[in-house]
Amino acid sequence: MNIFSQITKWYKDRIELKKSDLGRNYGWFIEFEDKVVGELSNYSKDAFYDVVSYEGYEDVVFNEDIWMSVGFKLRNKIYDQYSEGWYTGFYPGDLIKVKKLRFRYLWTEKL
């Protein structure tokens, strides 16, 4: 790949990342022990996602202890990359009621 095509690819990647809000708009798969157990969808600009559990994994996905210990891996649905360093917080008992989480540092840095 020549230098011109590398610069062009870098520029296009930057535009794509900006358009997707660093991958946030596409949502995330929730992985636990190397299995996809749910997903985060419907990103809002105040950093909230809807938490969706796949059938049979409700007890895992809505387990507040796993979320607080950062026991899940979050993989972007489109870019197929994991986010590192994210965290979330909530009031005890709220996760199962509202099925929404707010995140910090949940993004994709490069394509």
Side-chain angles (χ1 to χ4, degrees), residues 21 24-25 41-50 100-103:
D21 195 8
R24 294 181 186 109
N25 294 335
S41 60
N42 298 325
Y43 172 71
S44 64
K45 290 297 178 187
D46 55 356
F48 279 94
Y49 286 91
D50 292 338
K100 286 186 177 285
L101 285 175
R102 186 174 193 188
F103 287 86

Side-chain angles (χ1 to χ4, degrees), residues 4-111:
F4 181 72
S5 59
Q6 289 174 342
I7 291 170
T8 302
K9 181 183 178 335
W10 178 87
Y11 183 73
K12 287 180 181 180
D13 288 351
R14 296 291 136 224
I15 291 172
E16 173 63 22
L17 282 172
K18 183 172 179 154
K19 184 177 82 174
S20 71
D21 195 8
L22 298 175
R24 294 181 186 109
N25 294 335
Y26 297 139
W28 302 85
F29 291 115
I30 303 168
E31 293 184 6
F32 183 71
E33 297 178 346
D34 298 323
K35 292 180 192 136
V36 177
V37 296
E39 58 187 68
L40 302 173
S41 60
N42 298 325
Y43 172 71
S44 64
K45 290 297 178 187
D46 55 356
F48 279 94
Y49 286 91
D50 292 338
V51 180
V52 178
S53 171
Y54 292 165
E55 190 171 332
Y57 293 106
E58 293 85 5
D59 292 341
V60 174
V61 172
F62 295 108
N63 184 319
E64 294 178 353
D65 292 332
I66 298 173
W67 282 107
M68 293 310 291
S69 67
V70 191
F72 293 110
K73 292 168 71 177
L74 301 178
R75 182 171 44 95
N76 191 272
K77 290 181 179 179
I78 300 298
Y79 298 135
D80 198 34
Q81 292 182 12
Y82 291 95
S83 179
E84 303 292 331
W86 61 267
Y87 69 92
T88 187
F90 45 84
Y91 292 109
D94 267 2
L95 177 57
I96 193 68
K97 290 179 197 172
V98 297
K99 297 184 178 167
K100 286 186 177 285
L101 285 175
R102 186 174 193 188
F103 287 86
R104 293 288 180 225
Y105 306 109
L106 181 57
W107 60 60
T108 299
E109 293 184 12
K110 57 186 173 185
L111 299 181

